């Protein structure tokens, strides 16, 4: 929303405070509302410069009785021909060059006018957050401040008649510069306004302060050569004189907002997020609520500059252009501009009336239900970009190694769903075969590819560190060390922290009044069971037979929230990371090491704080009663799964701890059976583990994960704890309880798989209920091939919905259901060290049992909504990052041993087949060119999922069906264009 | 304040004398002073507050809403009266409401609402809300003046999207700041009291008490228009009147309405 | 997520006030001398309120007659045009308005010396012409002013104010945007004392924060009382001057 003032009408209220009215019109959904707000102007807004002697006398303390800090240096950067200066930023600079602003080697002592901050906030919230962080954290080095020009009597400007809001805001920025210049006249500090808005610069030319474009400003800097590398790449013809930009190519222009709003309202345009096909980067699909299936968007011009994940507005194409989803594999790196297989015949859409468009939409919905021809659409606007920083490498063929100067080169991104990016750099030759980070600046309609700029060099391709960093960046995982502010929240004692020996001691209670509410469970025989080498022990268990024949079973979870209090920087960091990320060679912690691996970790032989769930279970493992309490425990032993198994199996061990463990195992088996009876699913994913050579940290061998009975022992009790806690917190906080749900998969997800099963094996998967699904999966067996069942499970997993975190107010009770686990309510409670959901659940449980009042942020629907959104995203990213890491290392392992392995065909395409190799958990596309010499002889049978071709070596006809077991030669190759190692499969 | 029979009789005689002698010394065509302020409700598109010298007070707010006139084809001006101390379904409120809706009925000659059309599909609809804080006689005349002032100072958001949206729909979008003057002149309503053969404009409450009848005359754009009505002002003196008085009344309004208009405009 | 920066790290609110600052507070009394026995017009920020006190007068209904003290009747008319968007319903008989009326009657029953006017009715009519948050507090202030104008005996001023809680910072005298985005408390204070005659908490407020909220609220209400007192004294001086001039 824009800011403007009603002309005239300032009223003085008291010394230094006047009030005026802001009047503007808000257009929304076709309506227009006149909005009036009070606007107070004051004279106590400080300049925050250390060289100023006036402002320190006018400042007033805030609600916490703190005075503002004077941040701007008295001796700022001294530039040649200009002198000492402060920089004032225009909105366009913040939006275009936030990376540059964050660069530690340029932009010091920067003034951000409030109006710029507001404009940035309206245009891009993420950039706003980054700018705010800069202002918050940079007091030492970068020294950014916000000057509230809109609230200062001296700098507020009223909108003039016929003045556009932009002109008014530009004037406000200039007024701020002028004020600073006057205000700091004594100290001889110059003011430089940096703006890429030419008109703003021209208007400022009569002023006394200096005005520069970003380029001009950077030129002035002593380290300008280095800084220029990270300059945003915009379509300003001044330095884009090459041929590519002025070719005849152009994308259709986007529709104006009024048309989009109207079209969305009357049902002739649709909005959704676009997903680019993994196999074909020129094909996207958009999920639209009124359509049963995604609508296809095919071809470069129809995609119209959309990126994977962008929020787009689409318009249906005429029926004559509808088609089946492509069965062609196509990726960006191998895609050549000139042999574009899609003919981009343009339709002048505006000639079709909306009434006809609605008819078209109805036809489209019918078509989706009946036949294979799918409605297609084209993108007409992109309301929200998903742009972030991307990792890629320079395409070697786009570099001219002869000329040393600045040149335009293409960067091919690691994400194969995305187009290549054009950047300008003078270090092209040096950056060849390096992983680099780039940022996208713009995509003008006359450019075939988006424009971006170089941000950072991660290191050489296939250097472990560079690859890991690339992977973390690609999945948006925060991996920087914890900041000072975060670490300051940790207990002062550090590793020497100890739980108080006597819970009743006055000293200890004085330090922590809540200690009185803790239960002493140090007499219980508690142990933990984890993977070998586990250092962050979240959970521990105990069981004891009660005199009445029942069992007392306790699950004890690390009491993370004792150390991570809501509202602290530590909490904020944990909330933003959302989860720990596990890579093959690295773990990125959600919380600092001190907590995760020491103070919170339920290590054996020491006293630790825990959050305990204690049940009384009868002999059938039914819950008789459940109790929750914060406690102090002392774990007797930390077992690995194997050790625990050995101990239980060892008949000679009859001590109480072992008896307890045996009881736990027995109960867990009963629990599991009950769960399976209720219809819990047993799905599979091709999980492998990479063994690292402990000396060289080189990947050794790949192993498929094994499961022991003790694995499921721990799992069952964790599930039970999660369910019990979910019920309790839902009871206490019916609107904001942190829960986890798993929706039933829509039958359309299983359509193709079922068709394949039907055609090839005469089998089918039932979707009536989770129980039916589980049973039908059990029936999917091929007597000749025991792996077939696992294969079907893997493929089914891919058809399932993803489980998600949510707050209880967001869904009705019936939708809380966890389909996979077949329970009505579920949450995550048992791993607070590595998941933020569990932290919230801990706090809510603590609130529910009256241990301590629940923080407001976990009682507020909006805040919970934000938390859920973030942890869902982080969780997904962490999973992808973990998988990508395994993929990379599997590639490294295969690099050394080329071999022939057994694989299964899981997808048959027009120009290739997709094969999965269970041993390595890899899958890959075998292109038709690599199957046969004569691609024209190949015949693709869509109905039978069959590809027929002439084999290369034998010259015989060969048929490949889906589910076929095939021998493939497996090797790892480095793609020369993308420098990405991929498993290359060749059919034997 | 009620008058005794003797007082009434005296008053009737002086008012029906020729020339009429009004208790406050006014001429038959003379109004009592009124005080008008406009634009004091920034939340509304137009507003006015009118106070008569007897303490009658009325506040008018004009608010706009964008509607699809192909679906919602009611009148583009909707007026609602709320009289303090009266239920919304009371006879006074209903009669004033119905009279005002007729007065503000869109009509090419008198009240041209084509200015409210935005595009082929969308129009502004104006909600005219009248709050009568206090009144000692029929407030209709006062209300019409207040509505006139409110409408003539009403400003509406400025359309920036296209006009033709019938085939390819566009939602109207508006300038974020500029407001346009509507300049809609609504009719004025005059109330005359008939006492004997005399016509008295703007009768005071004591004059009400002895009037033989009341005449409501609507005037717009320089001429008298409909509705014209009679209205009984009391239960005691009411009786029929000579048809020629109707013509006289209309003439009186035609002669003096312009002065009132000028006073309102200034 | 709120679309606004409700309270910036620099300590400024959306409209430019600091945490402990009141909105513009302007009032006048005796504005409708013809129409009522006591009247006031109050602008607190963009709240605009007309209040008319009629009485003590003979009750219209017998049920309103109390032989020991006067009955107090308060009607709040929230006009359809009082908000940005015009509301379709007149707010009469809305639960929220009825509750507000009850709360107002309860507050003033204790502060007006009703026993001095047995067998009468004191009728208070309030018209909200425009509202912009913290309306209950403004209503109380406007009633206090109109009652004083009417000359009806009261023990002391009742001044009221709304306070929001943004995270851990209490914000004095909230406007609509702030009211919609956070938990708020309205409190009414008797005179210069720290006695509360009304405390209305409609959202959740953590108990440990309530104290700081009340502290700033009481200080704010005292400031409101002072502003009302100034206006009354000014008005009185003006009247005295006028009558002695005659």
């Amino acid at each position: 929303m824009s800011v403007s003032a009603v002309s005239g009408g300032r009223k003085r209220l008291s010394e230094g405070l006047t009030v005026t009215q802001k009047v503007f019109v808000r257009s929304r959904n076709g309506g227009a509302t006149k909005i009036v707000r009070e606007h107070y102007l004051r004279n106590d807004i400080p300049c925050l410069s250390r060289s100023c002697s006036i402002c320190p006398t006018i400042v007033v303390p805030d609600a916490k009785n703190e005075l503002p800090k004077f941040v701007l240096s008295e001796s700022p950067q001294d530039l040649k021909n200009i002198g000492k200066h402060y920089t004032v930023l225009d909105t366009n600079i913040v939006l275009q060059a936030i990376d540059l602003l964050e660069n530690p080697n340029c932009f010091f002592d920067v003034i951000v006018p409030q109006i710029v901050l507001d404009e940035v906030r309206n245009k891009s919230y993420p950039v706003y957050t980054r700018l705010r962080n800069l202002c918050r954290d940079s007091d030492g080095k970068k020294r950014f401040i916000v000057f509230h020009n809109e609230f200062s009597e001296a700098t507020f400007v009223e909108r003039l008649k016929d003045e556009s809001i932009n002109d008014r805001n530009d004037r406000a920025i200039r007024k701020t510069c002028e004020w600073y210049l006057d205000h700091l006249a004594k100290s001889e500090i110059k003011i430089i306004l940096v703006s890429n808005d030419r008109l703003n610069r021209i208007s400022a030319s009569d002023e006394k302060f200096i005005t520069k474009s970003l380029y001009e400003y950077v030129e002035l800097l002593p380290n300008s050569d280095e800084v220029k590398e990270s300059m945003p790449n915009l379509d300003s013809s001044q330095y884009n004189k090459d041929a590519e930009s002025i070719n005849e190519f152009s994308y259709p222009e986007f529709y104006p907002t009024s048309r989009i709003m109207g079209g969305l309202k009357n049902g002739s345009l649709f909005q959704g997020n676009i997903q680019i096909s993994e196999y074909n980067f020129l094909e996207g699909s958009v999920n639209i609520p009124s359509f049963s299936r995604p609508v296809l968007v095919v071809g470069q011009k129809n995609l119209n500059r959309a990126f994977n994940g962008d929020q787009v507005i689409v318009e249906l194409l005429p029926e004559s252009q509808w088609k089946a989803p492509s069965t062609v594999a196509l990726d960006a790196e191998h895609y050549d501009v000139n042999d574009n297989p899609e003919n981009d015949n343009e339709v002048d859409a505006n000639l079709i009336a909306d009434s006809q468009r609605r008819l078209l939409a109805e036809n489209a919905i019918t078509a989706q239900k009946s036949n294979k021809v799918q409605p297609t659409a084209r993108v007409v606007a992109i309301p929200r970009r998903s742009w972030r920083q991307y990792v890629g490498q320079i395409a070697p063929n786009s570099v001219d190694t002869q000329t040393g100067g600045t040149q335009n080169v293409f960067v091919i991104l690691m994400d194969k769903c995305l187009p290549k990016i054009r950047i300008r750099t003078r270090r092209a030759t040096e950056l060849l075969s390096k992983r680099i980070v780039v940022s996208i600046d713009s995509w003008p309609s006359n450019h075939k590819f988006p424009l971006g700029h170089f941000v950072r060099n991660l290191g050489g391709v296939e250097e472990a560190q560079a690859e890991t960093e690339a992977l973390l960046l690609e999945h948006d995982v925060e991996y920087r060390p914890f900041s000072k502010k975060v670490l300051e929240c940790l207990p002062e004692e550090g590793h020497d922290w100890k739980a108080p020996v006597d819970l009743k001691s006055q000293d200890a209670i004085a330090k922590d009044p809540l200690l009185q509410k803790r239960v002493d469970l140090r007499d219980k025989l508690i142990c933990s069971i984890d993977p070998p080498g586990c250092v962050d022990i979240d959970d521990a268990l105990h069981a004891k037979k009660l005199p009445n024949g029942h069992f007392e079973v306790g699950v004890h979870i690390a009491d993370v929230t004792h150390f991570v209090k809501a509202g602290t920087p530590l909490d904020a960091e944990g909330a933003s990371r959302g989860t720990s990320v596990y890579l093959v060679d690295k773990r990125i912690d959600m919380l600092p090491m001190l907590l995760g691996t020491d103070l919170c970790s339920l290590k054996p032989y020491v006293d630790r704080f825990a959050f305990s769930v204690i049940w009384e279970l009868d002999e059938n493992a039914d819950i008789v009663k459940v109790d929750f309490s914060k406690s102090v425990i002392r774990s007797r032993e930390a077992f690995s799964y194997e050790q625990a198994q050995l101990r239980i199996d060892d008949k000679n061990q009859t001590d109480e701890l072992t008896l307890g463990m045996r009881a736990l195992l027995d109960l867990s088996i009963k629990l599991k059976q009950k769960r399976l009876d209720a219809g819990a699913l047993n799905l599979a994913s091709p999980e492998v583990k990479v063994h690292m050579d402990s000396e060289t940290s080189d990947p050794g061998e790949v192993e498929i994960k094994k499961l022991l009975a003790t694995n499921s022992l721990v799992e069952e009790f964790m599930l039970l704890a999660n369910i019990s806690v979910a019920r309790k917190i839902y009871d206490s906080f019916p609107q904001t309880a942190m829960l986890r749900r798993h929706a039933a998969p829509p039958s359309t997800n299983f359509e193709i798989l079922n068709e394949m099963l039907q055609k090839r094996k005469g089998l089918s998967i039932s979707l009536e209920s989770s129980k039916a699904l589980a049973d039908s999966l059990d029936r999917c067996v091929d007597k000749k091939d025991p792996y077939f069942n696992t294969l079907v499970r893997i493929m089914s997993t891919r058809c399932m919905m993803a489980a998600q975190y949510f707050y209880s107010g967001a869904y009705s009770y019936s939708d809380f259901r966890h389909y996979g686990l077949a329970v009505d309510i579920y949450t995550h409670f048992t791993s607070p060290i590595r998941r933020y959901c569990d932290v919230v659940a801990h706090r809510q449980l603590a609130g529910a049992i009256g241990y301590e009042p629940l923080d407001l942020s976990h009682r507020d629907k909006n805040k919970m909504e934000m938390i859920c959104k973030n942890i869902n995203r982080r969780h997904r990213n962490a999973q992808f990052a973990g998988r990508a890491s395994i993929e990379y290392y599997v590639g490294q392992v295969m690099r050394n041993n080329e071999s022939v392995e057994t694989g299964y065909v899981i997808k048959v395409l027009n120009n290739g087949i997709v094969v999965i190799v269970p041993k390595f958990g890899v899958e890959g596309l075998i292109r038709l060119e690599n199957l046969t010499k004569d691609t024209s002889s190949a015949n693709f049978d869509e109905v039978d999922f069959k590809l027929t071709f002439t084999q290369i070596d034998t010259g015989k006809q060969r048929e490949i069906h889906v589910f076929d077991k095939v021998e493939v030669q497996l090797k790892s190759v480095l793609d020369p264009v993308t420098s990405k190692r991929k498993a290359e499969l060749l059919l034997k | 304040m009620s008058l005794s029979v003797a007082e009434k009789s005296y008053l009737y005689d002086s008012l029906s004398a020729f020339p009429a002698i009004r208790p406050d010394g006014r001429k038959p065509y003379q109004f009592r002073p009124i005080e008008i302020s406009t634009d004091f409700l920034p939340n509304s598109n137009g507003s006015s507050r009118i106070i008569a010298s007897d303490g009658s007070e009325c506040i008018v707010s004009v608010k706009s809403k964008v509607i699809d006139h192909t679906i919602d084809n009611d009148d583009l001006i909707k007026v609602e009266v709320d009289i303090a101390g009266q239920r919304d379904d009371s006879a006074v409120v209903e009669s004033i409401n119905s009279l005002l809706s007729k007065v503000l009925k869109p009509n090419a000659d008198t009240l041209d609402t084509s200015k409210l059309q935005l595009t082929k599909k969308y129009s502004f609809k104006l909600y005219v809300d009248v709050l009568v804080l206090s009144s000692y006689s029929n407030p209709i005349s006062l209300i019409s003046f207040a509505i006139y002032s409110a409408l003539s100072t009403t400003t509406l958001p400025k359309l920036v999207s296209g006009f033709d949206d019938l085939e390819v729909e566009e939602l109207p979008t508006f300038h974020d700041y500029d407001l346009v003057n509507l300049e809609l002149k609504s009719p004025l309503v005059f109330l005359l009291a008939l006492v004997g053969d005399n016509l008295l404009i703007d009768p005071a409450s004591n004059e009400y008490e002895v009037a033989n009848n009341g005449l409501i005359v609507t005037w717009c754009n320089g001429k008298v228009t409909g509705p014209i009505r009679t209205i009984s002002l009391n239960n005691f003196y009411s009786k029929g009147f000579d048809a020629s008085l109707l013509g006289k009344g209309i003439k009186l309004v035609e002669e003096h309405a312009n002065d009132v208009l000028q006073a309102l405009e200034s | 997520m709120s679309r606004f920066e409700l309270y910036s790290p620099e300590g400024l609110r959306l409209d430019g006030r600091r945490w402990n600052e009141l909105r513009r507070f302007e009032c006048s009394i005796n504005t409708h001398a013809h129409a009522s026995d006591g009247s006031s017009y109050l602008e607190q920020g963009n709240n605009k309120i007309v209040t008319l006190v009629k009485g003590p007068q003979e009750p219209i209904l017998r049920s309103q007659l109390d032989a020991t003290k006067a009955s107090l009747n308060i009607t709040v008319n929230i006009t359809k045009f009082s908000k940005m968007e015009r509301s379709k319903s007149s707010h009469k008989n809305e639960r929220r308005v009825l509750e507000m009326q009850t709360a107002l009657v309860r507050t003033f029953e204790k502060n007006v010396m009703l026993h001095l006017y047995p067998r009468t009715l004191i009728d208070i009519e309030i018209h909200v012409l425009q509202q912009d948050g913290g309306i209950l507090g403004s209503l109380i202030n406007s009633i206090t002013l109109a009652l004083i104008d009417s000359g009806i005996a009261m023990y002391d001023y009742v001044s009221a104010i709304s306070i929001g809680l943004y995270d851990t910072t209490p914000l004095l005298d909230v406007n609509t945007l702030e009211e919609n985005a956070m938990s708020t408390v309205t409190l009414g204070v008797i005179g210069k004392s720290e006695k509360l005659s009304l405390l209305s908490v409609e959202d959740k407020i953590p108990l440990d924060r309530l104290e700081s909220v009340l502290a700033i609220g009481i200080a704010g209400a005292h400031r409101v009382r002072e502003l009302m007192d100034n206006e009354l004294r000014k008005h009185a001086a003006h009247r005295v001057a006028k009558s002695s001039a005659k």
Side-chain angles (χ1 to χ4, degrees), chain A residues 361-387:
Chain A
E362 279 169 35
N363 291 350
I365 292 173
T366 339
Q368 284 197 329
K369 285 188 187 131
S370 53
N371 49 27
K372 288 219 155 167
V373 172
Q374 289 296 307
T376 55
R378 66 191 195 101
V379 173
V380 294
I382 305 180
R384 203 179 315 125
R385 285 287 193 186
S386 59
W387 286 352

Side-chain angles (χ1 to χ4, degrees), chain A residues 1 11 13 21 33 36-38 40 42 44 60 62-64 121 125 128 132 146 148 151 866, chain C residues 2-5 9-10 12-16 18-19 21 23-24 26 45-46 84-85 169 177:
Chain A
M1 212 153 301
K11 187 171 169 76
L13 293 179
Q21 301 271 355
T33 318
V36 179
R37 288 196 189 127
E38 280 191 304
Y40 290 81
R42 43 201 324 128
D44 60 359
V60 289
D62 66 5
K64 297 202 172 64
R121 189 182 166 109
Y125 193 77
Y128 162 80
R132 262 291 177 203
V146 174
H148 283 265
F151 293 144
M866 268 171 56
Chain C
S2 174
R3 288 180 293 122
F4 307 103
E5 196 174 61
E10 290 78 20
L12 291 163
R13 292 154 72 172
L14 275 177
D15 56 7
R18 297 198 184 273
W19 67 288
E21 283 173 347
R23 286 182 282 180
R24 180 175 63 90
E26 279 177 84
N46 273 339
M84 301 278 176
E85 300 269 0
T169 310
L177 288 174

